[in-house]
Each structure stands twice: as C-alpha cells, then as structure tokens.
Amino acid sequence: MADHALMVPDTSDAIVEPSLVIGQEFPDVETCRRTLKDIAIALHFDLRIVKSDRSRFIAKCSKEGCPWRVNVAKCPGVPTFTIRTLQGAHTCEGVRNLHHHQASVGWVARSVEARIRDNPQYKPKEILQDIQDQHGVAVSYMQAWRGKERSMAALHGTFEEGYHLLPAYCEQIRKTNPGSVASVFATRQENCFQRLFISYRASIYGFINACRPLLELDKADLKGKYLGTLLCAVAVDADDALFPLAIAIVDVENDENWMWFVSELRKLLGVNTENMPRLTILSERRRSIVDAVETHFPSAFHGFCLRYASENFRDTFKNTKLVNIFWNAVYALTAVEFESKIAEMVEISQDVIQWFQVFPPQLWAVAYFEGVRYGHFTLGVTELLYNWALECHELPIVQMMEHIRLQLTSWFNNRREMGIRWASILVPSAEKRISEAIADAHCYQVLRANEVEFEIVSTERTNIVDIRSRVCSCRRWQLYGLPCAHAAAALISCGQNAHLFAEPCFTVASYRETYSQMINPIPDKSYWKELREGAEGGAANLEITIHPPKTRRPPGRPKKKVLRVENLKRPKRVVQCGRCHLLGHSQKKCTMPI
C-alpha cells in the first residue's frame, strides 16, 4: 500500500489541508479534539480516540495495522495542551466512501456557522450538498437539520431561552426608548407565553402627529418551533410607504387575542384619538377583528381589504367580465355611477345581489364607504408580515423582534435622510398626482360663481368646486386628499397654487415630522443582567421565568402557503373615456372631434 502523508500535493489549484507538528499547542482539549476531527475529515482517514481526560489526549488511526498516532498532553501550570509525539504517516487506504464517522452533528454545526450567521434561511438540503462539495463527505438530511439547529442555538440562543429573556427585553425597550410600550403576558398557572406587545415611541409620535388617520390590521402565522401568530397595525406615511405602529406576537389567533391587541392599540393612542380626525381601519373584517374594533374604536370607519373581497367575488362567480365590472364599481366615485355598474352585473348574474348581502357596498365601495382610504384599497401590511414571518420563523422570539426593530431603525434613518433632501412642498408621489391633475385641468371651462365656488364645464358633465371647503362634486378631492383636475382648474383660474390645497399629511414637512424621532439601539443581552443590577429597584416581574407556549410545530414538512405578490398589488384600473365612452384611453387623449 502506498503511504500518504498529511501534506497535500503542491498544485496550483489545491487547497492547503491542515497539518500537525510536534510542539503545536491548543488552548484546551476540546480545541485539540476538534482540530484532529477536521484533519481526519480533510484527509479522509478515520480517527479512534484512545485516551481523553483533563491532562492528556491520545488518538490513532482506526485502521488495524496503520501506525499513525498522536499524543497530546497538558502543559504544566497553564491550560494549554501540546503535541508530544506524532507518527505522521499513514499506511492504510483511509476512508474509501463518502461517509465519515467524524462528521458528527457538532462538526456540521461548526462547519456551517459562518454561513448561517449571514443567512438564517440556509436550508438543510443546501447544507448537505455544500458539505459534500467542499469536504467530500456525505451527511444525512437529519444530520444537516440538527447541525443547523445547533448552530442557530449557538448564534442566537435556543427558542426556550428566547421566552425566558422576554421580561428583560421589554424592560430594555422601555429603558432605551422612553415612552415606548413593551409588555409580555403569560398564563397564570404555568407561566407559559401568551402575548407580547411592542410599539416604539418614535412610531407612536409619527402616527399621532404626522400620518393620515388610517390603520391597516392583519396577521401572519409563524412556522417556528412553537408556532404563534404575528399581529400588526400599520399606518401610511405621506409618500404612501408603510409605517408600522404596533407589533404583537400571540400564542394563537383567536377572538380573545384580537380583542386584547386592539385594546392595547386604544391605550397606546389614548386621548390623542379625540383630537384626531375619525380613524379609518382596513382589514379582512374577520368576526374577531370586527368585534374588537367595534368595542375599542366604536366611532372608526372599518372597511374591507379589496384584495380579500375581490378574491372572494372572483372565486364565487369565476367570470372575468363580472370581475372587471366589479372593479369599475369599486372605483366609481358617485352612487349613480356605482348603481349603473351594479345593474350591469345583475344582468349577467342575479346571484350578485346575494353576494352584496354578505359584502355590503358600504364597507368597500368608494361611492358608499364613509371613511377616507386615501386611495388605499388593499392591505400593504399583508406582504410585510409575510416577509417578516419568512425571514424570522427560525429565530427565537427575542431575535425575531430584534430583526424587526433593526429593519424599522433602517427605514426611519433612510427616510429621514430622504425627507431632508426634498425641496418641494409635497412628497414626490403627491407632486406627481397634482401635476397630472393640473395637466388635465386645461381640458375644462371654468365659470366662477362667487369668491369660493366654481362651475367646471366639460363635454361629459359639469362639476361644482368649493375651494374654501375643499370639496368637488366628483368627490375625488374629498376621497383622496389631493385636488382633482376640476379643483386644479378652479384654483389655477383664480391664481392659486394647487399644491397648497393638498391635505397636510401629504407635505414634506409632515413626512419629516413622521420620521423625526429616533429608535434607539438596545444593548446586547449579555449586558442586561449587569444593567438591571446597576439600576435602582427593579421590576418584580423580571424574576418570573416565562416558558414556551404549549403549542408545538407538528412533525413533518409544514404545508407551504404560497402568497402571490401580484395579488397584493392594486389591480390596474380600466380607463374609460368620458367623451366617446370607449375603454383604453382618457378624455385628454381622445381623438374624437369635439
């Protein structure tokens, strides 16, 4: 048999394998054991440990008759170990297949730790393939899965430890971000986790002082070890970006937990809701959410998410023409327009009337819904929660909330800097819509009735505009918060700047105010105990150990619900010309002679 030494042949593409030399030192016996394992796997020979205790470590090649042997002993007076003797040449063939006894779960965990630190979504299937490609070793799917679990626990702590840390974590949020709300609740008998609620002062301030009075409520199911549900309330900033206000994790989605979440929202906003315009809340209007909103926000307008309603309509009727007319009905600004679309639908199917009894138009149609949606018809929060659940489901609960906090911090910082650079009166999205309205305004004839009222005449209809009350008979100004083309025509005719007649929530000043507060960093968990001991007093509930909930992820591969991103986007509106009534172009671009 040909001898093979520990050194690799010198080729330009070769990877330098690890080697051992007499006198080499290791900080402790565990490091020594790991190094020898790595070398055995790299050079494809099997290792047998002869002796391992606090003072010495002896190992040899497992093949009978092979002389390879290493003797490591503890150095006197120091914790280090050193190689005393080494027979460094193998006379055996080594391991001839891909399976290696030294490729344990612990070795897999160490091998993938750096990759998992950068990518927690690293899948076991990818792990076993990469280990085979890089080390020439085959590991089973279960070894790869357990190795990942062990590596995740080393990097982020265990799921169980995450629940234990929750009281201290909430205390750190309240301490580093004064005015924030952070509370955790457990069951009385066994102290099992039940609910967690977090809202940062920066978010509370931004919503109350600068955001439009619009909230979206939704949930996402978590697929981690102990399952759970992520609840969220988000607002919308001046430039139509999502603005998370409050986040909660509950052990299970039910009526009681939704009632609790909405009650916490009410406490958070407190007396400020009395000074705000009436709140508009959008959701899928499940019975548990409806009851909670009616209890804690009785004066709020609570409307359907149009994605939910339209999907139900589509699945019920399975008729493309009906669905198109449905969306035309949704966007209809007046009751007359809406009713004409309903008549068209009824001609196709009488069952539409029955569907409207389950989904009353007062809860979704622009013409009848009393709240102000500002053009938001579907829940943007759905995609946000889906992404959070996807990115964080393998993290312990504290690490999950830290991931979300870091993302919020990044958004606040980036948007704050962006707002400083803007020199316009309105944010870019509002500027664009105002510019379009001004361009369309040139198609109209303007007749001034008095100081504030104007008659806007076009070939299709006449609209009345009141610039003092900021009202147009087409209702677009009131519904969207920005001057419509009729209002723009009236304002231009009397020398006014249409940009100054937008709702304050669309101004750059409001945008800057929204992100004016900071979300402060939270110290690493290794400092929490020290900081708590240094503080005076201390909350009694910090001594309570919160255990994981009783719910556990069932064995086997979880069913994957594919959330199609295109379903989250607002459907494209069918444009109809007001002059010739054909589809596909507006009155402004109509080629029909006047």
Side-chain angles (χ1 to χ4, degrees), residues 323-345:
V323 172
N324 288 337
I325 300 172
F326 169 82
W327 277 107
N328 285 332
V330 168
Y331 295 127
L333 296 174
T334 64
V336 173
E337 293 174 32
F338 180 83
E339 294 301 334
S340 70
K341 297 301 175 186
I342 298 304
E344 289 181 42
M345 286 192 272

Side-chain angles (χ1 to χ4, degrees), residues 577-582 585 587 589-594:
C577 178
R579 184 183 300 152
C580 66
H581 303 292
L582 295 177
H585 66 271
Q587 178 180 331
K589 296 180 181 178
C590 185
T591 56
M592 178 181 176
I594 299 175

Side-chain angles (χ1 to χ4, degrees), residues 264-540:
E264 291 296 306
L265 270 182
R266 175 68 191 182
K267 290 179 200 172
L268 175 150
L269 298 176
V271 295
N272 293 293
T273 52
E274 306 302 326
N275 303 322
M276 290 170 57
R278 285 178 72 178
L279 200 60
T280 295
I281 295 175
L282 302 179
S283 74
E284 292 186 356
R285 284 189 62 92
R286 295 189 188 92
R287 174 46 54 191
S288 51
I289 304 178
V290 171
D291 290 343
V293 170
E294 287 179 355
T295 301
H296 297 289
F297 292 96
S299 63
F301 302 109
H302 188 187
F304 270 113
C305 161
L306 261 296
R307 178 180 61 85
Y308 173 72
S310 65
E311 284 180 357
N312 186 287
F313 188 90
R314 181 195 63 201
D315 295 342
T316 302
F317 296 103
K318 298 179 175 61
N319 184 311
T320 305
K321 186 177 180 181
L322 262 182
V323 172
N324 288 337
I325 300 172
F326 169 82
W327 277 107
N328 285 332
V330 168
Y331 295 127
L333 296 174
T334 64
V336 173
E337 293 174 32
F338 180 83
E339 294 301 334
S340 70
K341 297 301 175 186
I342 298 304
E344 289 181 42
M345 286 192 272
V346 171
E347 284 181 14
I348 297 172
S349 173
Q350 292 284 331
D351 295 335
V352 168
I353 298 172
Q354 189 176 352
W355 188 88
F356 285 158
Q357 292 172 357
V358 181
F359 292 84
Q362 292 81 1
L363 300 177
W364 52 267
V366 171
Y368 288 115
F369 183 63
E370 294 183 65
V372 182
R373 291 173 175 263
Y374 297 95
H376 285 259
F377 294 93
T378 59
L379 295 177
V381 65
T382 303
E383 187 177 357
L384 175 66
L385 287 176
Y386 178 78
N387 290 334
W388 279 346
L390 197 64
E391 294 162 2
C392 304
H393 78 277
E394 296 190 74
L395 296 175
I397 190 167
V398 167
Q399 296 296 330
M400 183 189 304
M401 299 313 292
E402 275 296 275
H403 175 91
I404 293 172
R405 182 187 65 81
L406 291 173
Q407 192 170 87
L408 294 182
T409 302
S410 174
W411 287 351
F412 266 69
N413 292 340
N414 293 341
R415 293 172 187 177
R416 188 184 300 114
E417 292 173 5
M418 190 163 56
I420 291 170
R421 293 197 297 268
W422 291 339
S424 55
I425 297 171
L426 304 179
V427 296
S429 59
E431 284 279 342
K432 181 182 177 184
R433 278 177 275 175
I434 289 278
S435 298
E436 290 171 353
I438 291 171
D440 290 342
H442 298 298
C443 298
Y444 303 124
Q445 178 186 2
V446 180
L447 303 175
R448 188 166 191 167
N450 54 49
E451 188 179 340
V452 296
E453 288 187 315
F454 297 80
E455 197 173 345
I456 312 300
V457 182
S458 68
T459 54
E460 56 183 71
R461 66 166 67 88
T462 298
N463 287 283
I464 307 299
V465 172
D466 186 328
I467 62 172
R468 178 184 293 163
S469 303
R470 302 191 178 192
V471 167
C472 178
S473 58
C474 79
R475 299 185 68 239
R476 187 175 292 274
W477 196 356
Q478 303 93 289
L479 293 171
Y480 291 87
L482 295 167
C484 59
H486 311 117
L491 292 166
I492 293 168
S493 72
C494 62
Q496 296 286 349
N497 184 347
H499 297 76
L500 299 176
F501 285 79
E503 289 289 328
C505 61
F506 291 104
T507 62
V508 170
S510 285
Y511 188 88
R512 291 171 180 167
E513 189 71 7
T514 303
Y515 297 103
S516 62
Q517 305 298 303
M518 305 281 288
I519 296 179
N520 297 320
I522 294 173
D524 185 80
K525 63 185 178 182
S526 58
Y527 295 101
W528 294 355
K529 186 177 179 181
E530 178 185 332
L531 291 169
R532 195 164 70 240
E533 289 173 351
E536 294 181 10

Side-chain angles (χ1 to χ4, degrees), residues 533-586:
E533 289 173 351
E536 294 181 10
N541 68 339
L542 293 179
E543 303 306 321
I544 296 173
T545 299
I546 293 182
H547 302 292
K550 293 294 185 182
T551 51
R552 284 287 299 269
R553 182 175 57 199
R557 185 183 297 275
K559 290 182 180 178
K560 235 179 192 178
K561 180 184 177 184
V562 178
L563 186 68
R564 292 183 175 85
V565 175
E566 59 267 22
N567 287 347
L568 302 171
K569 296 176 182 175
R570 172 178 168 177
K572 190 173 181 180
R573 183 177 178 181
V574 180
V575 179
Q576 185 175 22
C577 178
R579 184 183 300 152
C580 66
H581 303 292
L582 295 177
L583 299 177
H585 66 271
S586 64

